Structures are given as C-alpha cells and as structure tokens.
Amino acid sequence: MSDLPKHVHFHEEGPREGFQIERGGFSLADRAALVDALSETGLEEIQVTSFVSPKAVPQMADAEALFAAIRRKPGVRYDAVWLNERGYDRARACPGVDIGGRIALYASDAFALRNNNCTAAVMRERVNAWLDRYEADGVPIERALVMAAFGCNFEGEIPPERAVGELVWAYRVCRDRGLALPRLYLADTMGWANPQAIRRAVGLLRDALPEAEIGLHLHDTRGLGAANVLAALEMGISHFDSAVAGLGGCPFAGHGDSRGAGNICTEDMVFLCHEMGIGTGIDLEALVEAARLAERIIGRPLAGRLMHAGTLAAYRGRRAAA
C-alpha cells in the first residue's frame, strides 16, 4: 500500500461518452447545465462532446452549439474528441475548445474497423501525419491511448504485450522527433479488465518505459471497475478517465441493447480515494448533486452508487455531535 498516490486526477468524460450511447435526444440546455454543474465541483478537465459524423453519432451533432451554451469557469479545461481531420478542424474552429494533441491506437483490428473504419496498422501509419499537423498548428501532445487494451468483444482476449507495444511504439516515435508525450493510457474499452490484468499491463509498461506516466480509461461494464481502480491505485496510478453517475460506453463496442454500467463512476471513485486518504481537489457533495442532475436528465436510474446511498459526511456528523 506504500505506492498509493497522494493525489488523483479525474478527467471527466460523462457529457461526451455518457450521452453518445443514449438513445434519443437530450436538450442542449440540459446538457449544458450538466457541464456547468460539473464545472463547480473542482474537476479540472471536462470532456464536453465529440466532433464526429452526425450520421454515425447523431447525439453529438450539435457540438459547436453545446460549446457556445456552456459557462466556462476559469481553471477548468474543456476538451473534446475527434476521430479524423475533419473533426479536428471543426474542433479547432470552435470557440472555447481546449485543444490538445492525441494519438489514438488500437490493440484490436476488429474494433478499429468498427470504430475508425481502418485497421490498427493503418492507425499507426497515420500517427506521423497527425504529429506533423500538431506541430504545424502549435498543438502540444497530451496523450497516447490504446483502445481495447484488455480484451475485445469482437476479437476476444488481447495479450497485454500487444497493447503495451502500441504505447511503447508511440512513445518512441515522439521521443525520436523531440516531442514530449506526457501520458500513456491503457483503455479497457469493452470492460474486459480485472485487477490481475491491470497489474500485469501496468507492470509491463513500466518495465518498458519507467520514465513514462501511465493513465487508465476504465469501464465498469461487468462490475469490476472499482476493483480495477483499487489495483491501479496500489501501483501508484494517479490519472483516470471517468464519467459522472457511471454514464458512458462506446456505441460501437458490441454490447447489444445493454444500457448498464458504462465508465467508472466519477463520484464513486472520488469517494474511494477520499476514504483511503487520497486527495482529489473535488467537492464530493457537489459532484453527487451533479450526478443526480445527470440521472434526472437521462430519466432512468443510473449506475452510480453514491448518489443513491449518500456520502458518509452526515453520519459522521451525527456521531461527532453525539
């Protein structure tokens, strides 16, 4: 337990990854209100939307309008996702988007074809062109992320060496060009990870690149999200992607009609950290209220636990008063 981090950073993805998988439309005002509520919790990064094809993901068709509707809070970074140059150009042209360069890679050809309409090898081939573009535009590289790092619903088991190899390759490409790559993310896109797999993949990546900082993008699809976060915390991992109220999921991940748990739930994982004495800089009560707002907007019970059970603050207050 001596490797526990002192502070954990959560990159909130609920407004983007949460709403992209939900059927039907949700009002611009409601989605902007959720982003604004999240802005008041102490979260430092919020992923607002995706600049992607409205035919493929109609829920994200009004990306520019959503950015225009939110109230930006100083000190909060508001980012977005794109999958190709057209989406990148839209994001750069949209006022209010905090642009950071990303390298997207796949450990699964089958998922790459569904999600990006190309193979994992072709995604690799495109990296240098993206790096050229980022350099030309003066955009710093933020992260490299390998999707389906622990398993794939279409391809099955993914050897950890394959996912780690993709990130090691990206890191070395950037290094050879004199570019910093601040963080390497292993993404459990389809909920295949378990604590042992987390330890093995993180260990392999650390052995290959001891100087690199590692982050995790985890899903709670099969109920192991919190266990996987705990395993990562015990290895000193301090950067996680998460989604308020447990929203989220990839529409191309092959979960059928399931609308169960999505990404690891931000407020539940913040609670876990606080209970273990790990700082986050987040106002947990405000975050729980944002989760309840998300549930009201979606209109059905969501997967987060803390927003239904409440924090322990009130109970501890009663004991102290007694």
Side-chain angles (χ1 to χ4, degrees):
M1 301 294 283
S2 60
D3 288 333
L4 287 174
K6 294 181 179 179
H7 187 92
V8 165
H9 176 88
F10 288 95
H11 177 223
E12 173 59 49
E13 298 195 347
R16 191 274 304 177
E17 186 151 355
F19 285 89
Q20 75 177 7
I21 199 170
E22 293 293 330
R23 296 189 185 90
F26 297 90
S27 76
L28 189 71
D30 280 345
R31 286 180 291 132
L34 178 59
V35 174
D36 292 343
L38 291 166
S39 299
E40 299 297 329
T41 65
L43 285 162
E44 296 177 345
E45 287 188 291
I46 302 171
Q47 196 165 85
V48 176
T49 187
S50 296
F51 290 88
V52 293
S53 167
K55 292 182 179 180
V57 190
Q59 299 90 331
M60 301 286 107
D62 59 356
E64 287 87 353
L66 181 55
F67 263 99
I70 64 175
R71 297 193 307 269
R72 292 179 61 90
K73 182 180 177 65
V76 179
R77 192 171 184 281
Y78 300 87
D79 66 7
V81 163
W82 57 85
L83 297 179
N84 53 35
E85 285 199 74
R86 183 175 180 182
Y88 171 68
D89 289 338
R90 284 178 61 198
R92 287 194 71 229
C94 180
V97 181
D98 291 308
I99 298 288
R102 297 189 181 102
I103 298 170
L105 299 163
Y106 291 87
S108 162
D109 273 324
F111 182 58
L113 286 164
R114 285 176 174 260
N115 199 51
N116 239 99
N117 199 32
C118 69
T119 65
V122 169
M123 285 297 288
R124 260 199 190 199
E125 292 170 5
R126 294 175 180 174
V127 166
N128 276 304
W130 275 113
L131 294 178
D132 289 341
R133 182 73 190 275
Y134 293 148
E135 283 194 88
D137 294 339
V139 173
I141 312 294
E142 275 186 349
R143 60 161 71 182
L145 178 143
V146 59
M147 288 171 268
F150 296 91
C152 174
N153 291 345
F154 312 105
E155 197 168 315
E157 299 284 349
I158 300 293
E161 292 81 5
R162 187 192 304 176
V164 168
E166 293 292 318
L167 292 176
V168 170
W169 175 85
Y171 187 88
R172 290 173 177 166
V173 166
C174 290
R175 183 191 60 193
D176 291 347
R177 294 174 62 128
L179 299 173
L181 181 52
R183 201 162 296 117
L184 305 174
Y185 275 77
L186 293 156
D188 184 27
T189 315
M190 288 167 267
W192 282 60
N194 61 62
Q196 185 177 20
I198 294 288
R199 295 185 190 100
R200 185 177 179 194
V202 169
L204 284 171
L205 188 50
R206 280 216 176 116
D207 287 345
L209 297 171
E211 71 278 20
E213 183 159 20
I214 301 168
L216 291 172
H217 177 105
L218 299 175
H219 286 238
D220 194 32
T221 313
R222 295 173 174 86
L224 294 182
N228 292 337
V229 169
L230 179 59
L233 290 172
E234 291 175 348
M235 296 191 76
I237 299 297
S238 60
H239 286 263
F240 296 90
D241 294 340
S242 61
V244 64
L247 287 166
C250 175
F252 308 109
H255 291 304
D257 292 331
S258 172
R259 289 296 183 275
N263 291 43
I264 54 170
C265 176
T266 309
E267 66 274 11
D268 291 0
M269 297 306 101
V270 170
F271 177 72
L272 171 65
C273 288
H274 289 186
E275 289 298 298
M276 297 175 68
I278 301 170
T280 65
I282 292 171
D283 180 337
L284 186 55
E285 297 291 346
L287 185 56
V288 167
E289 287 306 312
R292 290 170 179 158
L293 172 61
E295 187 171 76
R296 291 195 296 273
I297 292 170
I298 297 296
R300 60 176 171 79
L302 297 178
R305 302 294 186 89
L306 201 65
M307 63 176 171
H308 300 131
T311 69
L312 294 176
Y315 301 99
R316 286 176 173 145
R318 290 174 195 169
R319 183 176 178 181

